[in-house]
Structure formats: structure tokens, C-alpha cells
Amino acid sequence: GNSVTQMEGPVTLSEEAFLTINCTYTATGYPSLFWYVQYPGEGLQLLLKATKADDKGSNKGFEATYRKETTSFHLEKGSVQVSDSAVYFCALSDRPRGGSEKLVFGKGTKLTVNP
Amino acid sequence: DAGVIQSPRHEVTEMGQEVTLRCKPISGHNSLFWYRQTMMRGLELLIYFNNNVPIDDSGMPEDRFSAKMPNASFSTLKIQPSEPRDSAVYFCASSLGASGGVTDTQYFGPGTRLTVL
């Protein structure tokens, strides 16, 4: 089946630093790609998504571009804030043979931003 | 809207006991998902419903787990009997799911942290 690999954390940055969290995927067909964020003590929230190759998803200063040639969907932000401290999950849509469509999540990357 | 509501937020029980987790999806949403999150396995989809009908339960670990959705505003996940390895955070999520697929934006509840002693 399809799968997602994202960089292991934790990642610790200073405020205003540049952020990259790598995500690569293995898929047959053309899945949709997602980044979800989980703040401490809360459920996951959709951060951004892209549904086809070369699409760029963006939200709250975060961006990710669907790169079919490198099977990647790296998350970036030019200047992080303390409030961005959270766990970030890369995910893709998967439809196994004979099965129904579902989201497959990576293991998550914990980001801590220090003042 | 209040968002997805889950109860209880925390549950501590002893091995062998029955555990029931509850979820109220966002009003008007047609799809409902149950996930389990652990350090070892990450976030796993257990089961999902569309229009109250179970669509895919292939992620349900074993017969000890069962889920129901008697109406559009309520779902339960039951574990009977519970075991220590069931300790995890269980999330419920809902989406508009107009097409019955899962790529509509999913809105997660705050989760239930289950500890089985």
C-alpha cells in the first residue's frame, strides 16, 4: 500500500528561524497530500493540502509543494514563532486494491520553537 | 459549532473491563472516523462510517473492538475485554464526506486518553 516517511524529530529552532520538515511518499496513482498539525493536548487540524502534482498548499505562513518527480511534499516556513510548537503529520490518501480510500499518516515530527 | 466532541477525555481502567468511548461529530458531517495514536505505531485508522454505515473496518485490531453509529450524531467505540496494550489516545474525526471518500477535510476531536492497568 501507499506510505509516508517523514523526518524524525524532535526539531528545535529559535524564533524566526527557517523551518523545513521533509516528507516523502510511496504511492501508486496520484494521491492527495496533506499536512496536519497537533497542538499539545488537542486533536489534529488540517494545515494545508495539495491534490495534484505541482500544486502548492499554503496556510498560516506554511507552504508545501506536491513534487511528483521526487515524490516529496516538504513543509516549509520562513520564520517560525513560539506558537508553531506542535507535532506535524504528513499524510496521503490511499486506496488499497479492493479497499476503500483512507488517509495514511506519517509518524509525526515534533517541533519546539524557543524564544 | 462546538466541533467534534469526545468523552471521556481520560479513562483509566483495569485489564478485563469493558471500555466505551463516545463521539459526537460536527452537525451535518456525513463521515466519521475512529483513530488510535500510540508512540510505537503512530496514528492508525480503526474504522470509518459514511452516512452511519461502516465502510472500512480493516483497521480494527481484533474482535475485542467494536464500533457503532446508531445515528448521525453519535458513535461509540467499545473494547471488551480491555488489555494493557490497548492503552493509547483514541481520536474521533468527522468530515462532510459528500462523496463518501476520506479526502474531505477531517476535523478531529480532542481525543480520549485510555490507560488500561
Side-chain angles (χ1 to χ4, degrees):
Chain A
N2 296 348
S3 64
V4 171
T5 302
Q6 62 181 105
M7 64 185 287
E8 293 189 15
V11 175
T12 302
L13 297 173
S14 298
E15 208 164 21
E16 299 184 4
F18 184 85
L19 169 71
T20 299
I21 300 178
N22 290 338
C23 172
T24 57
Y25 66 90
T26 301
T28 55
Y30 303 96
S32 295
L33 301 173
F34 307 81
W35 277 101
Y36 276 80
V37 58
Q38 184 179 27
Y39 298 104
E42 299 183 11
L44 281 71
Q45 304 174 25
L46 178 65
L47 181 59
L48 54 83
K49 69 178 182 181
T51 57
K52 60 183 186 297
D54 299 324
D55 267 3
K56 177 186 285 187
S58 61
N59 186 25
K60 300 181 181 179
F62 290 89
E63 293 183 340
T65 301
Y66 190 140
R67 301 284 189 199
K68 187 170 181 295
E69 64 276 13
T70 55
T71 62
S72 65
F73 193 55
H74 304 321
L75 182 69
E76 296 181 336
K77 186 174 186 182
S79 176
V80 293
Q81 305 299 313
V82 173
S83 57
D84 294 327
S85 298
V87 181
Y88 293 82
F89 293 87
C90 186
L92 58 72
S93 59
D94 179 38
R95 184 186 293 274
R97 183 183 296 277
S100 59
E101 192 174 28
K102 60 183 70 175
L103 285 182
V104 175
F105 288 86
K107 290 291 183 66
T109 302
K110 184 176 182 179
L111 169 67
T112 300
V113 180
N114 294 319
Chain B
D1 199 312
V4 176
I5 299 173
Q6 292 187 247
S7 64
R9 291 295 307 274
H10 302 273
E11 177 79 33
V12 180
T13 190
E14 293 188 347
M15 183 174 62
Q17 296 298 305
E18 176 181 303
V19 174
T20 299
L21 311 182
R22 296 173 177 80
C23 175
K24 176 178 169 55
I26 293 173
S27 178
H29 281 191
N30 298 309
S31 293
L32 182 141
F33 308 84
W34 282 101
Y35 290 91
R36 178 173 67 176
Q37 185 180 40
T38 61
M39 289 293 293
M40 291 296 294
R41 300 174 67 93
L43 196 64
E44 305 172 279
L45 176 67
L46 300 177
I47 185 171
Y48 85 90
F49 297 83
N50 186 255
N51 292 323
N52 312 336
V53 176
I55 302 299
D56 186 342
D57 65 356
S58 60
M60 295 286 263
E62 49 198 272
D63 292 346
R64 297 185 298 107
F65 285 69
S66 62
K68 294 182 180 180
M69 192 165 186
N71 57 62
S73 58
F74 183 66
S75 177
T76 59
L77 177 68
K78 184 178 294 185
I79 308 173
Q80 180 184 21
S82 58
E83 297 182 3
R85 61 192 168 122
D86 301 330
S87 297
V89 180
Y90 291 81
F91 289 102
C92 177
S94 70
S95 72
L96 282 173
S99 63
V102 302
T103 54
D104 293 333
T105 299
Q106 295 186 24
Y107 295 83
F108 283 71
T112 295
R113 182 173 294 277
L114 173 65
T115 302
V116 183
L117 303 175

